[in-house]
Amino acid sequence: MKTSITLAIVAFCAILSTTGCYYDVEEELYPVTTCDTVDMSFDTDIVAILQRECLACHSNAAHQSIGGGVNLDGYDNVKTYVDNGKLLSSITHDGNASFMPKSANNRKLAKCEIDKITVWINDGARKR
Ligand code: HEC
């Protein structure tokens, strides 16, 4: 008798935990992928992307030797290329500037990164 009650409890818990797991897994299988493009500013959102993807060639130190003389180090330098339209053209590959980030296979930034920079520029390219 004791054994069957124990068995029943174990079975009950097992069923509970599997159904519990089922929901968890379902949420992991279909994650809600969002790209936050609200209130973009250079300091909070954009500079990190440029540092990771562009400054290897376009920093103060590197731009003359491997960045074609294009300096994207700091807000004021970046703003020059925002204002002349080259920054957006270069990352969207619209044909009005060289394709960036420069790579052998014309790689593009992640869509979310392009979206963030596009919204940032269209909203006036705030520093902070
Ligand atoms: C591997 C080095 C390298 C990386 C990484 C790189 N660039 Fe460049 N970039 C260059 C070189 C070299 C030039 C000049 C020659 C040319 O236009 O192709 C250039 C030119 C540019 C220009 C001027 C384009 C024109 O047509 O006048 C812009 C704007 C630019 N880069 C933006 C970026 C941005 C934004 C990133 C990051 C998303 C980036 N670059 C990443 C090497 C690089």
Side-chain angles (χ1 to χ4, degrees), residues 17 44 50 59 75 92:
S17 60
T44 335
L50 301 183
S59 68
Y75 179 80
T92 55

Side-chain angles (χ1 to χ4, degrees), residues 49-123:
I49 302 172
L50 301 183
Q51 263 162 7
R52 180 161 32 80
E53 297 283 355
C54 318
L55 289 199
C57 301
H58 292 296
S59 68
N60 284 327
H63 76 283
Q64 290 298 359
S65 52
I66 53 172
V70 175
N71 189 342
L72 298 178
D73 208 327
Y75 179 80
D76 292 340
N77 288 316
V78 171
K79 193 69 169 39
T80 305
Y81 293 92
V82 168
D83 292 345
N84 71 14
K86 294 289 184 188
L87 188 89
L88 196 53
S89 285
S90 73
I91 61 164
T92 55
H93 296 190
D94 71 0
N96 294 317
S98 309
F99 293 173
M100 296 290 149
K102 190 170 271 311
S103 67
N105 59 355
N106 283 342
R107 178 175 76 83
K108 271 189 168 183
L109 293 179
K111 184 176 182 307
C112 183
E113 292 169 333
I114 297 174
D115 289 349
K116 281 175 190 274
I117 295 173
T118 304
V119 169
W120 173 64
I121 291 175
N122 289 342
D123 285 354

Side-chain angles (χ1 to χ4, degrees), residues 14-33:
I15 290 165
L16 266 192
S17 60
T18 6
T19 37
C21 279
Y22 180 76
Y23 284 109
D24 292 348
V25 171
E26 191 174 58
E27 277 162 21
E28 280 163 24
L29 275 176
Y30 308 106
V32 186
T33 45

